[in-house]
């Protein structure tokens, strides 16, 4: 079946976080796609509603099997039912794992730039936020292992929150990069929580490596969990729901006990339903969606090269978010954001992702091509209006 990603669906006045405007602004910001969910997912929700009983629900053997098969077939990550915990979201799990691996006042290391909640959750949970800037080499971010080790030692870091693949830079860290990071953390006894929510959006030519697989091979699984979800992959973020994967029995027990404190270990009926149908029947939709995204990325890169050649563009290796260095055109973050809003297009302001995001913007290209083209015209208009 050929899915139609060109369809424009009116999302205004639906409570959509992305489409929050009272005018005709085009949203190219938050990581939410403007595509209808895969028909097999929608059919599973419909079936659950038609059945008519919405009572207390627990994960079934078939759901576990769908999760296990997806991760084994795509990434060679071998899981058993006992390795899987459920959680309302990846961000809630980042906070939860901070309580498992650290105490108040302990230092937690994150990269800069980074998806904003990595920083805010550390601060809100009264841990000490330590950042290590990514290095830009040949238009790509790299981990600065020398800086990371120096910060680990100087601040007695207990936990590293890794974003794999990276948001906002779009890097899919290679197995070698991850192995080097693992060796460093192992040397200094630092735990790692790997946020892998963008794993399934890895683009052609790149290979996603589950961090847990490496940790297990190095006998470090007692200090590592990975967090992932079907929500980003299948554009079902409003459903909420995610997983925590771990391989060490004691760590799983500790994590589960931490979840019990707030009774936050279950998902709702629709989250289980969507998770299962997505992993069982969503792969063809995902393949077609990624091809559409890849062509949208090319359209965007071509447009910017032709119209705004001094924007330095980081070509993503995963996902539909593109990191743009606009420093050749602007010298103030707020002015940059406001100019775009005035031109009726919204992008994410890079500075929200850390100091390294100064004069950068993140653009989301996961929308029908007609919307994207109009959005890009508005970006151009904003940059020309000075
Ligand atoms: C790296 C990363 N982690 C987590 C999330 C959100 O996860 P959740 O909605 O499950 O809390 C996002 C959403 O954009 C993300 O980019």
């Amino acid at each position: 079946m050929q899915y139609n990603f060109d369809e424009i669906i009116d999302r205004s006045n639906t409570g959509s976080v992305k489409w929050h405007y009272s005018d005709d602004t085009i949203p190219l910001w938050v990581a939410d796609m403007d595509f209808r969910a895969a028909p097999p997912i929608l059919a599973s929700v419909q079936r659950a509603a038609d059945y008519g009983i919405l009572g207390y629900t627990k994960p079934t053997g078939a759901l576990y099997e769908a999760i296990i098969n997806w991760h084994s077939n795509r990434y060679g990550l071998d899981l058993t039912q006992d390795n899987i915990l459920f959680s309302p979201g990846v961000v809630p799990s980042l906070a939860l794992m901070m309580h498992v691996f650290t105490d108040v006042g302990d230092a937690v290391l994150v990269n800069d730039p980074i998806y904003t909640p990595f920083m805010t959750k550390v601060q809100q949970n009264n841990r000490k936020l330590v950042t290590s800037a990514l290095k830009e080499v040949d238009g790509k971010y790299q981990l600065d292992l020398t800086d990371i080790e120096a910060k680990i030692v100087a601040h007695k870091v207990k936990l590293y929150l890794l974003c794999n693949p990276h948001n906002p830079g779009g890097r899919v860290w290679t197995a070698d990069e991850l192995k080097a990071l693992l060796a460093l953390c192992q040397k200094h006894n630092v735990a790692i929580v790997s946020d892998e929510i963008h794993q399934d959006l890895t683009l052609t030519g790149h290979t996603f490596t589950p961090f847990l697989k490496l940790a297990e091979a190095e006998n470090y699984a007692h200090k590592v969990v990975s967090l992932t979800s079907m929500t980003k992959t299948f554009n079902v973020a409003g459903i909420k729901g995610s997983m925590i994967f771990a391989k060490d029995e004691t760590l799983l027990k500790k994590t589960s006990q931490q979840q019990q404190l707030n009774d936050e270990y279950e998902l709702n009926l629709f989250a289980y339903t969507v998770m299962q149908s997505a992993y069982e029947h969503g792969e063809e939709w995902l393949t077609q969606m990624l091809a559409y995204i890849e062509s949208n990325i090319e359209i965007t890169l071509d447009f910017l090269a032709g119209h705004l050649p001094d924007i330095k563009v980081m070509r993503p290796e995963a996902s539909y978010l593109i990191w743009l260095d606009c420093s050749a055109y602007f010298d103030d973050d707020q002015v940059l954001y406001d100019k775009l809003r005035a031109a009726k297009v919204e992008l994410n302001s890079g500075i929200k992702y850390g100091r390294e995001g100064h004069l950068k913007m993140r653009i989301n290209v996961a929308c029908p091509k007609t919307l994207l083209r109009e959005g890009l015209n508005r970006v151009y208009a904003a940059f020309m209006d000075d």
Side-chain angles (χ1 to χ4, degrees):
M1 175 178 183
Q2 187 61 43
Y3 298 114
N4 178 12
F5 298 98
D6 287 323
E7 181 188 4
I8 298 201
I9 302 173
D10 183 1
R11 298 181 67 187
S12 50
N13 301 311
T14 59
S16 159
V17 168
K18 189 179 188 183
W19 289 81
H20 60 93
Y21 319 100
S22 51
D23 61 14
D24 60 347
T25 295
I26 294 180
L28 303 178
W29 65 294
V30 61
D32 175 316
M33 309 189 247
D34 290 312
F35 305 137
R36 184 184 296 284
I41 295 177
L42 297 175
S44 72
V45 172
Q46 190 69 54
R47 269 194 309 276
D50 287 345
Y51 180 60
I53 301 286
L54 306 179
Y56 286 122
T57 306
K58 62 181 182 180
T60 60
L63 170 62
Y64 281 112
E65 203 182 310
I67 297 168
I68 290 166
N69 288 343
W70 182 268
H71 289 85
S72 157
N73 295 342
R74 291 178 72 93
Y75 311 118
L77 176 64
D78 294 322
L79 298 166
T80 65
Q81 191 165 321
D82 296 338
N83 299 147
I84 303 169
L85 299 172
F86 295 95
S87 160
V90 167
V91 173
S93 303
L94 287 172
L96 176 94
M97 293 315 303
M98 238 179 290
H99 287 266
V100 171
F101 283 127
T102 68
D103 293 312
V104 167
D106 284 345
V108 179
L109 185 68
V110 309
N111 290 114
D112 178 0
I114 199 73
Y115 176 58
T116 315
F118 276 56
M119 297 177 282
T120 51
K121 293 304 138 196
V122 172
Q123 291 161 329
Q124 289 161 351
N125 284 281
N126 299 314
R127 271 63 176 173
K128 182 175 166 193
L129 178 66
V130 179
T131 59
S132 174
L134 293 172
K135 282 190 299 197
E136 198 181 324
V137 181
D138 299 332
K140 281 203 233 190
Y141 277 134
Q142 287 189 357
L143 300 165
D144 185 343
L145 294 175
T146 310
D147 182 64
I148 290 171
E149 182 160 32
K151 299 266 168 70
I152 287 175
V153 173
H155 299 278
K156 299 190 176 58
V157 166
K158 294 279 186 323
L159 170 66
Y160 186 109
L161 300 179
L162 172 69
C163 197
N164 171 41
H166 180 256
N167 175 11
R171 274 304 313 281
V172 177
W173 305 114
T174 63
D176 283 345
E177 287 173 303
L178 294 175
K179 277 183 197 161
L181 180 67
L182 176 64
L184 247 187
C185 290
Q186 202 162 3
K187 179 174 163 196
H188 297 286
N189 203 28
V190 175
I192 297 135
V193 172
S194 184
D195 174 340
E196 303 187 346
I197 197 168
H198 292 276
Q199 63 184 29
D200 303 319
L201 303 175
T202 298
L203 301 171
T204 308
H206 302 282
T207 305
F208 164 72
T209 307
F211 199 77
L212 194 53
K213 202 165 135 184
L214 301 181
E216 196 181 24
E218 296 301 325
N219 293 320
Y220 202 56
H222 60 294
K223 298 282 275 187
V224 172
V225 301
S226 58
L227 313 176
T228 198
S229 172
M230 75 302 181
T231 52
K232 204 88 352 195
T233 311
F234 292 99
N235 197 33
V236 291
I239 285 285
K240 298 272 183 190
S242 73
M243 293 151 283
I244 301 171
F245 297 151
K247 290 274 190 161
D248 178 81
E249 211 177 308
T250 312
L251 175 56
L252 279 154
K253 201 164 157 207
K254 232 181 135 185
T255 305
S256 171
Q257 281 167 349
Q258 188 66 40
Q259 287 192 306
Q260 307 278 338
L261 296 183
N262 293 319
D263 224 37
E264 280 184 350
Y265 55 90
E266 310 177 291
L267 305 185
N268 71 73
L269 159 66
F270 288 105
Y272 290 137
T273 301
V274 165
M275 198 179 260
Q276 185 179 333
S277 58
Y279 288 145
E280 281 179 352
H281 305 296
E283 197 159 28
E284 177 54 29
W285 181 92
L286 174 61
T287 303
Q288 291 184 28
M289 189 278 287
L290 285 175
Y292 194 89
I293 291 295
E294 298 211 8
S295 69
N296 278 8
I297 291 172
E298 293 312 322
I299 287 172
T300 306
L301 266 46
D302 285 351
F303 182 94
L304 294 175
H307 290 77
L308 295 165
D310 293 327
I311 292 186
K312 272 203 287 167
V313 181
M314 215 172 250
R315 176 183 276 277
E317 299 175 346
S319 212
Y320 45 78
L321 307 165
I322 312 179
W323 192 231
L324 310 175
D325 180 340
C326 308
S327 56
Y329 295 91
F330 286 90
D331 55 15
D332 185 281
D333 291 299
Q334 193 61 45
V335 171
L336 169 56
Y337 177 82
D338 290 345
K339 280 266 183 200
L340 289 160
R341 285 305 303 271
K344 293 202 189 164
V345 61
E346 183 169 10
L347 278 66
N348 284 98
S349 188
I351 197 67
K352 298 276 165 62
Y353 301 88
R355 258 199 297 262
E356 295 296 315
H358 180 47
L359 300 177
K360 303 207 170 73
M361 295 300 284
R362 195 192 72 171
I363 186 168
N364 171 356
V365 302
C367 63
K369 288 186 173 28
T370 44
L371 266 184
L372 176 63
R373 288 202 172 94
E374 177 54 21
L376 290 170
N377 285 334
R378 294 184 190 184
V379 170
Y380 178 59
F383 275 61
M384 288 301 104
D385 173 37
D386 51 9

